[in-house]
Amino acid sequence: MVVKAYPVGMVPAMNHVNGEDEGESSLEPYVGLEFDSAEDAREFYTLYAKRTGFKIRTGQLYRSRTDGTVSSRRFVCSKEGFQLNSRTGCPALIRVQRRDSGKWVIDLFLKDHNHDLGPMGENNPPTLQRKISLATTKPVLDVSHRPRIKSVEEIGDGRPCPSGVINAKRLKREGDDMQSKVAPFAGLEFNSANDGYQFYQAYAANAGFRIRIGQLFRSKLDGSITSRRFVCSKEGFQHPSRLGCGAFMRIKRQDSGRWVVDRLQKDHNHELNYQLEVDKKSPTSSKRLLEEESGGLESEDIFNINSGNLVKRSRENHIGSDWYRVLLEYFQNRQAEDTGFFYAVEVDNGSCMSIFWADGRSRFSCSQFGDTVIFDTSYRKSIYLVPFATFVGVNHHKQPVLLGCALIADESVESFTWLFQTWLRAMSGRRPFSIIADQDKVIQQAIRQVFPGTHHRFSLWQMKAKEREYLNLMDGAFKYEYEKCIYESRTTDEFDTAWNGLLHRYGLIDNAWLTEMYQKRENWVPAYLRGTFFAGIPLNETTESFFGAFLNAQTPLVEFVSRYERGIERRREAERREDFNTFNLQAFLQTKEPVEEQCRRLYTLTVFKIFQKEVLQSYSYLGFKIYEEGPVSRYLVRKGGNDNEKCMVTIGVSNLSVACSCQMFEFEGLLCRHILRVFQILDIKEVPSRYILHRWTKNAEYGTIHDLESAGSPQELKSLMLWSLRDTASKYIEAGATSLDKHKLAYEIMREGGRKLGW
């Protein structure tokens, strides 16, 4: 069913407001209900709210990452949030999403309120009443469809504009009378983006509101600005004075160099101030907005219409203002319970932006398992309610371990740089060897700045999404050879040869996307990644979210903290089970090799099973010495009956240094079947200690004196020891609290330990 909301000013809309329409206005929202536009959905929800007995506001909007257009809108009860004393955090709302057809469909409807409803029919919002009262004389422009571009031949009182476009200088000469007669419309053209801004500024001053510079969009080819948004100053929720107003004007640069209004929303969700005072003096040219060579505006600049001064623009913030109050209160409570709890809030121009936090357990885990980090921003895969990101490592049981959480205010270099620097500070300055993160340029730049020397591997989900986008244009034969080139190349030289041959065969040497991906091959091609430690995180599998179904980008604020704690507890309970199994169960030996018995004593159960598989597979391989010079020998190790599966093992007999061309040890930290086969040939009975990484051993979570001393400063050493002891003590406490007998036993153990420590 498609609901048709008439343009304001027509008789049916007046009937709706008066409550006389017994058709569409009597409907109750439901998931799947369609509208011609988002404004139609708002009007429908307004009428429903009036009949039910509450008021509404425009809530968050979500934009497409492809072209920046609005893809989803939320309309909420006026008592949503806690910014004002009159608000109660009411969860009632509808969310509409734009389909490919252009229709807007309700995909989320929360009906219940947490407050008493008013008398039915008496709660029409003042802003809507005001629009209706003006409708008979001034219809609202409908720009729900992309307009035909046109020039302006006459402005205001009918005098022609010589160039056929709006010119800011002419507006200034003509004065306020002309400004009051010109309203923006779809298709209106300007000589420059600066002219567009000054025009909208003049219109806003006359209409009774102020404006800010919103998003800009750049060309993927040359980085020049292709479109700009100018928004009502009450857009967004970063500051208590902002109400999420949806009014804006967007201009787009044409091939001619001119800028045209291609999207426009004139309706506000707040009262307008017709007595608004503005500075009538024209600012000097040095104080005007700076223009780029392309005629655009610098993203750092914003014009203040009260004084004409240039001030730094406010960054966008995708975190609802309610989240700060709730989370900061939660953080303070946690810090009282956990002295190792760390949190920080980014502040920009006096406004709260991104948030980072990590409890004491996460910080201690990073001291042991922070060598490789997954920076999970998969909230960006779809429309999100909260920009929730996690830092995740891999523990000694091959399980994901939480190393910190964040809410990301905006996807800018400043935001990611602040976040990485804050994470590094919380983790005592320990930079990871490697990090898995998205390939966006802002993230790449922040990683290079904060983690120099850290190998950045692109997130697989994003790589696959881009491959689907571009490879769908290719034929099936190319896709097959493309994947074979990537996943079957064993060395970097093999990959380079296969890639160049592939592009020549299909005439794709000049393909821009393939050229860019080849330039970034060290960040995503398996042959280039195997030489870096990634704790064995698979190269061709997407990583599971740490919180799974407990917490995601759609989790509402009222459920966030409880779901967060349940998700953490689930993971840590699984880790405790593996700890128990490792110390109380023993894997069966399947060979008589001394290295198998040695590693069973040292490795955790999960890691030992991986090593044991390599030991068993080594019996299927043959080894041949093909080179020897002094103490260095080289062996060709190939699988029996399969000449294609072979590797080269180089070993220094004097100091037992060894390396294999498969690079399993470099990538995962475990010796491969090829090296183990050479050990058997040379009758080497034990794995050299340098090839048994402490992070994979049973005692990895406790650290060692050597590991702690390598932390750095005495303060860092003390912090690591405190976290280690606190974690162990908490396990005694949890086990001792299960029964009275265990309590007595745990108490005696701690008393005995206390006597040995001298207290």
Side-chain angles (χ1 to χ4, degrees):
M1 174 178 183
V2 178
V3 172
K4 174 66 177 176
Y6 294 89
V8 178
M10 295 178 63
V11 175
M14 296 292 288
N15 289 342
H16 282 196
V17 172
N18 294 330
E20 296 172 3
D21 194 319
E22 299 299 329
E24 293 163 359
S25 66
S26 64
L27 284 174
E28 179 176 282
Y30 60 87
V31 174
L33 186 59
E34 287 188 352
F35 303 92
D36 285 336
S37 68
E39 182 58 31
D40 289 351
R42 188 186 194 281
E43 193 172 323
F44 170 81
Y45 196 47
T46 299
L47 297 175
Y48 166 74
K50 176 176 181 284
R51 290 186 293 103
T52 307
F54 66 98
K55 300 177 183 179
I56 74 163
R57 291 187 292 110
T58 301
Q60 286 179 300
L61 63 81
Y62 306 91
R63 294 187 178 278
S64 165
R65 286 179 47 77
T66 304
D67 59 8
T69 58
V70 177
S71 56
S72 179
R73 297 240 42 161
R74 284 165 33 108
F75 304 113
V76 302
C77 174
S78 62
K79 292 186 180 291
E80 182 262 359
F82 298 94
Q83 297 98 318
L84 302 176
N85 292 334
S86 61
R87 298 188 183 172
T88 62
C90 180
L93 62 87
I94 65 168
R95 184 176 69 193
V96 291
Q97 189 169 10
R98 192 184 71 228
R99 301 302 193 202
D100 293 340
S101 64
K103 302 291 186 183
W104 291 75
V105 181
I106 295 179
D107 68 336
L108 177 65
F109 172 42
L110 301 180
K111 179 179 180 181
D112 296 335
H113 298 257
N114 66 356
H115 57 88
D116 294 332
L117 300 180
M120 293 170 56
E122 297 182 4
N123 289 279
N124 203 38
T127 54
L128 184 62
Q129 292 173 356
R130 181 180 171 282
K131 285 195 298 181
I132 297 298
S133 66
L134 295 174
T136 56
T137 59
K138 187 177 180 181
V140 175
L141 178 67
D142 181 3
V143 291
S144 57
H145 300 288
R146 189 175 183 88
R148 178 178 62 87
I149 298 175
K150 56 182 178 181
S151 298
V152 180
E153 299 299 336
E154 291 191 353
I155 303 175
D157 58 359
R159 288 171 292 178
C161 176
S163 64
V165 298
I166 290 289
N167 185 290
K169 295 180 180 178
R170 185 165 186 268
L171 279 178
K172 178 167 68 73
R173 290 198 306 267
E174 299 295 347
D176 296 336
D177 180 62
M178 184 174 183
Q179 293 174 12
S180 66
K181 293 182 180 181
V182 182
F185 58 88
L188 183 61
E189 287 189 358
F190 305 96
N191 282 328
S192 70
N194 193 29
D195 286 354
Y197 178 81
Q198 292 189 40
F199 167 80
Y200 196 50
Q201 165 209 323
Y203 163 74
N206 181 66
F209 66 98
R210 290 185 170 90
I211 69 169
R212 293 186 290 110
I213 293 179
Q215 284 180 305
L216 63 81
F217 302 92
R218 293 185 181 273
S219 166
K220 293 182 178 179
L221 298 177
D222 59 10
S224 62
I225 296 175
T226 57
S227 67
R228 299 270 355 196
R229 293 178 74 245
F230 308 123
V231 302
C232 174
S233 63
K234 293 186 180 293
E235 183 262 359
F237 298 94
Q238 299 96 315
H239 190 274
S241 65
R242 299 186 185 173
L243 305 172
C245 180
F248 74 93
M249 181 180 82
R250 193 179 86 164
I251 56 175
K252 190 171 185 179
R253 192 184 73 222
Q254 305 300 298
D255 293 339
S256 64
R258 290 176 176 172
W259 294 74
V260 64
V261 176
D262 72 329
R263 283 189 172 82
L264 178 68
Q265 176 58 259
K266 300 174 76 174
D267 295 338
H268 298 258
N269 67 351
H270 55 91
E271 291 290 349
L272 302 181
N273 180 9
Y274 290 98
Q275 306 302 319
L276 188 65
E277 292 286 337
V278 295
D279 192 346
K280 298 294 191 292
K281 292 182 290 185
S282 175
T284 62
S285 58
S286 63
K287 292 182 179 179
R288 290 182 181 177
L289 287 170
L290 301 176
E291 292 193 54
E292 293 184 340
E293 291 181 357
S294 63
L297 302 174
E298 294 287 353
S299 62
E300 292 81 9
D301 297 329
I302 180 169
F303 191 78
N304 184 324
I305 66 173
N306 287 316
S307 62
N309 293 325
L310 284 173
V311 297
K312 188 175 180 181
R313 72 179 291 269
S314 296
R315 287 160 50 194
E316 283 197 297
N317 190 342
H318 300 302
I319 305 171
S321 56
D322 299 346
W323 289 79
Y324 295 102
R325 184 189 64 81
V326 173
L327 289 182
L328 291 178
E329 182 179 344
Y330 170 70
F331 296 160
Q332 289 163 7
N333 292 335
R334 288 287 291 114
Q335 208 166 47
E337 302 167 358
D338 177 4
T339 56
F341 192 92
F342 177 99
Y343 72 91
V345 180
E346 180 191 16
V347 178
D348 181 70
N349 286 338
S351 297
C352 293
M353 298 295 287
S354 298
I355 309 172
F356 171 81
W357 72 95
D359 62 11
R361 180 63 184 271
S362 292
R363 298 175 74 188
F364 175 66
S365 295
C366 191
S367 71
Q368 303 299 309
F369 310 118
D371 41 15
T372 189
V373 174
I374 302 168
F375 179 52
D376 184 358
T377 54
S378 54
Y379 71 86
R380 306 162 75 213
K381 290 181 181 180
S382 60
I383 295 171
Y384 56 85
L385 182 63
V386 55
F388 178 61
T390 55
F391 293 86
V392 179
V394 178
N395 71 8
H396 54 328
H397 302 299
K398 288 274 190 171
Q399 297 170 312
V401 58
L402 190 64
L403 305 179
C405 298
L407 299 188
I408 301 174
D410 69 334
E411 295 177 2
S412 64
V413 174
E414 296 90 343
S415 188
F416 287 116
T417 300
W418 174 87
L419 181 57
F420 294 155
Q421 289 173 338
T422 304
W423 181 84
L424 196 60
R425 181 158 52 96
M427 305 306 166
S428 301
R430 292 166 170 267
R431 291 186 177 89
F433 296 139
S434 57
I435 186 169
I436 301 175
D438 292 350
Q439 67 184 87
D440 299 59
K441 290 182 179 178
V442 290
I443 294 180
Q444 292 185 50
Q445 185 175 337
I447 289 174
R448 285 195 301 269
Q449 181 177 336
V450 183
F451 303 131
T454 296
H455 196 144
H456 177 193
R457 168 177 154 189
F458 293 158
S459 300
L460 187 63
W461 74 265
Q462 200 178 43
M463 284 297 306
K464 291 297 184 185
K466 288 187 177 293
E467 285 178 350
R468 283 193 297 272
E469 179 182 351
Y470 289 98
L471 294 183
N472 281 342
L473 305 175
M474 313 290 185
D475 61 31
F478 176 83
K479 294 178 187 178
Y480 171 77
E481 290 193 51
Y482 171 85
E483 292 189 354
K484 182 179 179 181
C485 168
I486 293 169
Y487 296 109
E488 295 186 16
S489 296
R490 289 170 293 184
T491 66
T492 56
D493 289 340
E494 279 187 27
F495 171 80
D496 291 340
T497 302
W499 180 272
N500 290 325
L502 179 65
L503 267 56
H504 276 95
R505 279 196 302 278
Y506 288 89
L508 296 171
I509 293 296
D510 297 324
N511 183 281
W513 177 70
L514 292 172
T515 299
E516 180 185 1
M517 294 314 296
Y518 182 72
Q519 291 170 350
K520 298 289 184 181
R521 59 193 180 279
E522 292 183 359
N523 302 102
W524 65 279
V525 175
Y528 282 90
L529 295 172
R530 291 193 190 103
T532 302
F533 183 76
F534 281 100
I537 299 172
L539 293 168
N540 57 353
E541 296 178 18
T542 55
T543 55
E544 179 190 0
S545 166
F546 178 85
F547 287 93
F550 280 95
L551 199 66
N552 55 46
Q554 303 297 328
T555 304
L557 176 58
V558 292
E559 301 176 13
F560 185 86
V561 171
S562 61
R563 285 173 172 256
Y564 165 79
E565 291 189 328
R566 286 160 54 199
I568 279 190
E569 180 54 31
R570 177 181 70 104
R571 288 292 191 183
R572 290 179 178 169
E573 174 59 32
E575 183 176 354
R576 286 191 289 270
R577 284 197 302 269
E578 283 301 314
D579 283 341
F580 178 87
N581 291 341
T582 289
F583 284 103
N584 292 278
L585 302 177
Q586 197 172 58
F588 290 106
L589 295 176
Q590 299 193 38
T591 73
K592 295 182 179 181
E593 296 293 338
V595 294
E596 187 185 14
E597 170 60 32
Q598 174 197 12
C599 291
R600 182 175 70 167
R601 293 194 311 269
L602 298 173
Y603 286 145
T604 62
L605 200 59
T606 302
V607 173
F608 172 71
K609 289 179 179 177
I610 298 172
F611 179 80
Q612 187 179 51
K613 179 180 178 182
E614 295 300 310
V615 174
L616 291 172
Q617 288 292 328
S618 68
Y619 290 115
S620 303
Y621 286 76
L622 304 173
F624 307 93
K625 183 187 290 187
I626 60 172
Y627 172 85
E628 183 175 9
E629 183 176 339
V632 177
S633 300
R634 187 168 297 153
Y635 287 79
L636 175 66
V637 181
R638 65 174 178 83
K639 191 170 185 178
N642 186 352
D643 290 340
N644 293 324
E645 193 172 333
K646 56 189 177 183
C647 286
M648 201 70 66
V649 175
T650 303
I651 185 169
V653 180
S654 59
N655 60 358
L656 289 183
S657 60
V658 64
C660 180
S661 61
C662 77
Q663 297 182 303
M664 179 175 173
F665 180 78
E666 289 80 1
F667 182 76
E668 191 167 0
L670 294 170
L671 291 183
C672 63
R673 60 195 66 178
H674 315 108
I675 290 176
L676 293 174
R677 183 59 185 145
V678 172
F679 279 7
Q680 292 163 12
I681 294 171
L682 297 177
D683 198 29
I684 296 173
K685 302 295 185 182
E686 285 193 346
V687 175
S689 58
R690 77 180 70 149
Y691 297 112
I692 296 180
L693 297 190
H694 177 74
R695 66 151 6 262
W696 294 132
T697 64
K698 297 178 180 180
N699 296 319
E701 62 178 338
Y702 304 113
T704 66
I705 297 298
H706 174 73
D707 290 330
L708 294 173
E709 286 178 343
S710 66
S713 69
Q715 184 178 359
E716 293 171 355
L717 173 61
K718 184 175 181 180
S719 297
L720 292 173
M721 290 191 295
L722 281 172
W723 295 335
S724 177
L725 293 171
R726 185 184 296 114
D727 185 60
T728 305
S730 68
K731 294 179 180 179
Y732 274 102
I733 293 169
E734 290 174 5
T738 56
S739 70
L740 186 58
D741 290 340
K742 289 185 178 181
H743 171 267
K744 292 178 180 178
L745 178 60
Y747 188 75
E748 286 301 320
I749 291 172
M750 287 191 287
R751 283 191 63 182
E752 177 62 25
R755 284 193 291 270
K756 291 182 179 180
L757 290 172
W759 56 270

